[in-house]
Amino acid sequence: IEEILDDVLQSYPAKSMKNRKEHILVKDRNKSELKIKANTRTIPGIITNRGCAYAGCRGVVLGPLKDVVQIVHGPIGCSYYAWGMRRHQGLAAEGGKNFINYTFSTDMQDSDVVFGGERKLKEAIKEAVEIFNPSTIMITATCPVGLIGDDINSIAKQAEEEYGITVMAFNCEGYKGVSQSAGHHIANNEIMDNLVGIKDKELDYKYPINLMGEYNIGGDAFEIERILHKIGYDVVASFSGNGTADQIKYSHEADLNLVQCHRSINYIAEMFEEKYGIPWLKVNFLGVDATIESLRNMAEYFADPELQERTEKVIAEELAQIEAPLNRYKELFTGKTAFLFVGGSRAHHYQNVFKRIGIETVVAGYEFGHRDDYEGREVIPDIEMTADDRNIPELEVTKDDKKYRLRISQAKKEELQQKMPLDYYGGMIKEMEDGSVAIDDLNHHEQIKLTEALKPDIYCSGIKDKYTSHKMGIFSKQLHSYDYSGPYAGFKGHLQFAEDIAAGILNPSWSYITPPWKEKTTLEGSFGGGE
Ligand code: CFM
Ligand code: HCA
């Protein structure tokens, strides 16, 4: 494998080679340190799969909130790409509002950039209130807003007073930070500062939980909620798949926060504990084995024998429906390999989904994960801050004397921490097999070279590199959009995933494609008039 990686790196100029080398790692459990470089700027000239801060804030974290009119202050193109592109689904509750089929934009023009766009934003808010009557409006800034200095924060404040509703502003201009990860952080800070805890509901739920970092892509959250309700949990709020801003306002009343995607929401999870005394549990509802482990950990946290019994009953019932076909898929797939490259958590979560059906992951990488998503939270104190990190304000939260309530004692917490990832995430690398490759911020050159050398049976990434893989004769399943299928979470979702993978890799069409490495090089041409 080292030779293959040397070959991949060979094509780079010396400086780039040195840089990229630090972003690639071969798993070797005998090594005392497995350190990877992450969350740093992409080398100029390399086309990355990454998105921008606005995408991470507006698209990822805020996008799924159903009851919010989300006004994008910026040119129309940015809004087009916020319009259902990420496939988060949302079902309005009885009498509840759902605006996620719309996209709202101030449609900034040349003249607004030159003379300022504040007037236009105020008009847009007025219009939104008159037509849609929302209880919450969120304004997100795209690049020109920060460049010309439109003050979206004071406009939000004024509008809040004028209309008597919640109006929030997010300074998530696309250029802030090195990827969409910066946008997650900006969204987290603002939600924590101005939305969580602004309403009291005095819920009398027995097992109130918040679902965090689950965005309901392809209906995953619907499936997770179905299982949780069947066991007897009540979801107070979801951050943010199928969620509402209204629920987030009283989400401080939950007793446990479940964190699915650590990368996008860990900031909020941490702050909840500090401010309200609610611990967080790293869960994973992708894959049956991980789902079962998560459900058992939750039941143990609440320490109620009745809940534990119901958990086992639901696990048995759900397993009975899928185990036999899943085992048949395992027989069919055993020996096959996968190459995964997804944002900041799925490249980890999907490894156990594949493992259960006999498929080994040979390469896995994140677009914008941080070192803790690879190596575990224990490395956080060693992560060097860069100028890009310092661009995002750090929100300091303190104990809320009125609303803080200790959920479990320190001693009990330490006891549970021996058994489960409570307030902890161990990252992706620990769970990878020896000899497999972890790669950060992959580019097309590396994708193609590694695919040629390792010839995986499945390439799992997104729309930007799906067809590069197909052209090489290798089935690609998008793990962002699920190629418009899903849900893939929970028990039934795992079976759905196996069926979709079978339909893809067993399709005879792949035998009609001759991958480039099976053909002679045919590249010819003239340069500057010569041969
Ligand atoms: Fe978390 Fe996500 Fe992901 Fe992400 Fe994303 Fe996404 Fe993703 Mo696309 S929040 S890090 S910023 S799990 S949109 S739902 S699929 S890159 S791996
Ligand atoms: C984003 C959204 C995205 C893009 C997916 C892709 C998503 O990064 O802004 O590249 O295929 O999941 O929709 O990650």
Side-chain angles (χ1 to χ4, degrees), residues 210-510:
N210 289 320
L211 195 52
M212 293 187 168
E214 166 48 52
Y215 301 96
N216 205 20
I217 308 300
D220 276 353
F222 293 149
E223 186 56 14
I224 296 167
E225 283 175 30
R226 182 187 70 80
I227 298 165
L228 295 179
H229 287 152
K230 199 170 164 187
I231 295 175
Y233 293 101
D234 284 298
V235 179
V236 179
S238 167
F239 298 70
S240 55
N242 196 33
T244 65
D246 189 55
Q247 293 168 325
I248 290 179
K249 291 174 185 173
Y250 53 83
S251 58
H252 60 286
E253 296 188 14
D255 283 342
L256 177 66
N257 287 327
L258 306 180
V259 172
Q260 169 76 21
C261 166
H262 170 265
R263 181 64 268 133
S264 60
I265 212 83
N266 74 92
Y267 319 91
I268 281 184
E270 285 260 279
M271 293 187 267
F272 254 86
E273 176 132 40
E274 192 76 36
K275 196 166 178 182
Y276 302 112
I278 310 173
W280 59 274
L281 176 69
K282 177 68 186 73
V283 291
N284 178 15
F285 293 111
L286 291 165
V288 285
D289 299 326
T291 301
I292 292 171
E293 194 183 322
S294 301
L295 294 174
R296 287 190 175 142
N297 287 344
M298 289 169 64
E300 191 167 357
Y301 168 88
F302 282 102
D304 174 349
E306 209 182 298
L307 181 71
Q308 276 165 322
E309 205 174 295
R310 266 206 313 277
T311 301
E312 292 307 325
K313 193 165 161 269
V314 169
I315 292 173
E317 260 174 40
E318 295 284 325
L319 266 183
Q321 295 175 42
I322 58 143
E323 231 176 357
L326 213 55
N327 289 340
R328 277 201 297 280
Y329 280 115
K330 185 173 179 177
E331 275 170 36
L332 204 61
F333 295 148
T334 295
K336 298 208 181 296
T337 58
F339 183 151
L340 316 183
F341 183 67
V342 213
S345 82
R346 294 183 173 194
H348 175 195
H349 291 151
Y350 272 90
Q351 290 191 35
N352 84 84
V353 179
F354 277 118
K355 200 173 188 167
R356 178 63 182 75
I357 50 174
I359 301 172
E360 191 197 330
T361 301
V362 287
V363 185
Y366 295 135
E367 267 176 50
F368 50 76
H370 296 202
R371 274 185 64 204
D372 36 320
D373 304 300
Y374 289 100
E375 300 169 61
R377 286 186 71 88
E378 56 273 30
V379 304
I380 291 178
D382 305 329
I383 297 178
E384 292 154 36
M385 285 277 275
T386 64
D388 297 301
D389 298 321
R390 276 186 272 271
N391 265 338
I392 306 159
E394 272 302 327
L395 180 66
E396 290 291 334
V397 295
T398 50
K399 189 168 163 178
D400 182 321
D401 288 328
K402 286 205 191 87
K403 294 181 180 170
Y404 186 96
R405 185 163 53 81
L406 194 68
R407 294 335 196 254
I408 52 166
S409 69
Q410 187 59 26
K412 180 75 191 162
K413 187 160 117 185
E414 280 165 21
E415 184 199 317
L416 289 177
Q417 279 176 325
Q418 301 300 316
K419 306 183 198 166
M420 62 178 80
L422 191 64
D423 293 352
Y424 176 71
Y425 175 47
M428 170 171 98
I429 291 170
K430 292 190 188 83
E431 286 183 14
M432 290 176 73
E433 297 295 334
D434 269 5
S436 60
V437 177
I439 188 160
D440 179 65
D441 192 17
L442 176 90
N443 56 55
H444 279 209
H445 159 70
E446 292 165 355
Q447 177 208 351
I448 290 166
K449 289 293 252 186
L450 284 170
T451 303
E452 279 178 8
L454 298 169
K455 302 185 179 53
D457 299 285
I458 311 157
Y459 180 74
C460 287
S461 181
I463 197 64
K464 294 152 191 159
D465 42 359
K466 179 184 176 80
Y467 297 102
T468 337
S469 176
H470 279 191
K471 284 176 192 168
M472 290 190 275
I474 291 168
F475 169 58
S476 170
K477 175 81 203 162
Q478 294 188 65
L479 287 187
H480 294 261
S481 70
Y482 294 172
D483 290 301
Y484 327 111
S485 180
Y488 288 156
F491 299 89
K492 291 183 185 162
H494 201 152
L495 184 58
Q496 178 67 54
F497 184 73
E499 282 168 5
D500 290 355
I501 291 297
I505 46 177
L506 303 178
N507 190 311
S509 62
W510 305 114

